[in-house]
Amino acid sequence: MGAIAAHGINVTLPGGWDGRITVRDDGAPSGLIAAAGNRVEVLRSHPVVHLANFGLPGERGDFGSGAVELMGDRDVFIVLFEYEPAATATALFQDHGLPRTLQPRDFEPATLRRGIVGQTAHQAFFQEQGRAFCLYVVLGSQARRAALAPIVNRVLATVQIAPRVAG
């Protein structure tokens, strides 16, 4: 088993898994300035966690484009995508705590961001430690979801999220 940790997120991965915690450097400005010269919004990239039981490609989108196309029917791909702290005050993020036990019935092909035949997905929005996240999980096979969901749950059980450090 290996552990990855960055930006207040820690995960212990089973042998053979790949994982990355990154912050996108997309060149976004640090703030928007209104015509009157007032700063109106701070834009900041936040951590994105990618976990998979297959090798992750170097180039991939926030929600797995570039990775999910490589999945076989025994593969799983997990994303934790962090949003702005203010999102915790919205109805979308009203649920508290990372969902750590997913059932096979929680997965539906219609949830896939990219409709790849045979795959299925689950998505949940939540807050933990004052931080807003989306959990997005893709299973390589809808037919094998009963076998694959427990694999996902074992990894989710190891995720630790600390309060965000200002800065």
Side-chain angles (χ1 to χ4, degrees), residues 2 4 10 14-15 22 29 32-33 36 41 63 67 77 84 101 109 116-117 127 129 149 151 153 155 166:
I4 60 172
N10 302 298
T22 59
L32 298 177
I33 308 300
E41 182 179 356
F63 289 93
F77 177 73
E84 291 291 326
T101 305
I116 297 176
V117 175
Q127 60 177 286
Q129 298 290 345
I151 295 168
N153 293 340
V155 173

Side-chain angles (χ1 to χ4, degrees), residues 86-142:
T88 60
T90 67
L92 183 62
F93 295 94
Q94 70 183 354
D95 291 336
H96 288 264
L98 168 67
R100 295 178 192 279
T101 305
L102 303 179
Q103 301 299 322
R105 68 179 174 271
D106 295 332
F107 292 88
E108 291 292 334
T111 306
L112 289 165
R113 290 182 175 258
R114 277 188 90 146
I116 297 176
V117 175
Q119 292 183 355
T120 191
H122 173 76
Q123 185 173 35
F125 295 89
F126 67 95
Q127 60 177 286
E128 186 164 319
Q129 298 290 345
R131 299 169 71 175
F133 288 91
C134 172
L135 169 67
Y136 179 64
V137 180
V138 178
L139 304 181
S141 170
Q142 167 76 1

